[in-house]
Amino acid sequence: MPADPPHRATKPLRSMSSPPSGGPGVSAVEVRRSARRRRTVSAYREGDRTVVLIPARMSEAEERRWVTVMLDKLAAQESKRVLGDAELVERAARLSELYLDGKARPDSVRWVTNQNTRWGSCTPAEGSIRLSHRLQGMPEYVVDYVLVHELAHLLVPGHGPRFWRLLEAYPRTERARGYLEGVVAADRLPHSPPARGE
């Protein structure tokens, strides 16, 4: 799905403050209609929002359906891409600005392969955050949640009320926690025994 460069729409732009319920979720979705577009629909990220380009003739119902489809496609593409350590540091800084008033400033953020029972950890004295490699390939909002969680620990040790108040700023906290709980529960399910001859 190639991303189209921004262009002028022939009709007024309509922005949605949040994605359709159940979609992968970004802070805002902007739908741009174009009379030049006949059948194609495309989408790309632009800062903190997603721009979806659709033909002008589409109905409201078709628009809603295509926005959901394109958000799912973008999320799937992004989840396959693994951020490098330098990108993790940049992402953590951005998340700190967005949700913690920029107060949490890690010196390092990196992937590690020795955390199989925790999703992330931090050492406030060193300003370091480590993320489990098991998060790689999970939806972006889940990785962001773990980053915000560890950033909050740079400010508040433990999981007391003050800590959870900080996490309330991240709008996908409950959904991300549910996702991670589902992963843990799935890992605990008994595996079927192999069929005879395997």
Side-chain angles (χ1 to χ4, degrees):
M1 172 189 52
D4 289 354
H7 65 277
R8 296 172 69 188
T10 56
K11 286 193 171 186
L13 303 179
R14 181 168 51 259
S15 291
M16 299 160 52
S17 60
S18 61
S21 60
V26 290
S27 59
V29 175
E30 180 180 309
V31 175
R32 295 181 186 172
R33 290 176 172 264
S34 170
R36 292 186 314 194
R37 272 182 188 272
R38 298 287 176 224
R39 289 181 291 220
T40 61
V41 176
S42 62
Y44 59 91
R45 303 285 193 211
E46 190 175 81
D48 287 340
R49 65 185 170 159
T50 301
V51 177
V52 180
L53 306 169
I54 65 171
R57 63 173 174 71
M58 275 193 180
S59 69
E60 295 288 321
E62 289 174 309
E63 175 185 315
R64 283 191 301 275
R65 183 178 76 79
W66 274 106
V67 166
T68 300
V69 166
M70 299 312 286
L71 288 173
D72 287 344
K73 282 187 176 184
L74 282 174
Q77 288 175 346
E78 290 166 351
S79 70
K80 290 177 186 168
R81 188 173 147 302
V82 175
L83 298 174
D85 291 351
E87 292 171 304
L88 283 176
V89 171
E90 289 174 20
R91 188 168 202 88
R94 187 171 143 259
L95 291 168
S96 178
E97 287 296 327
L98 284 171
Y99 303 114
L100 302 170
D101 298 322
K103 293 176 183 170
R105 295 193 175 122
D107 292 322
S108 69
V109 184
R110 61 191 173 91
W111 297 108
V112 294
T113 57
N114 62 352
Q115 288 189 156
N116 293 315
T117 59
R118 292 188 290 182
W119 298 113
S121 62
C122 75
T123 306
E126 297 173 3
S128 64
I129 292 175
R130 293 161 305 282
L131 299 182
S132 171
H133 71 286
R134 296 180 305 140
L135 289 166
Q136 294 173 349
M138 289 189 187
E140 190 176 88
Y141 74 91
V142 175
V143 177
D144 284 354
Y145 163 73
V146 176
L147 271 172
V148 173
H149 186 108
E150 298 309 328
L151 286 166
H153 276 311
L154 292 178
L155 304 173
V156 178
H159 292 100
R162 188 166 158 244
F163 173 82
W164 291 111
R165 276 195 301 275
L166 285 176
L167 275 194
E168 286 173 3
Y170 182 64
R172 313 287 310 246
T173 292
E174 288 307 311
R175 185 169 183 194
R177 290 184 70 194
Y179 184 99
L180 293 170
E181 287 169 8
V183 170
V184 170
D187 285 345
R188 291 182 182 152
L189 291 174
H191 298 288
S192 300
R196 286 185 162 209
E198 286 186 28

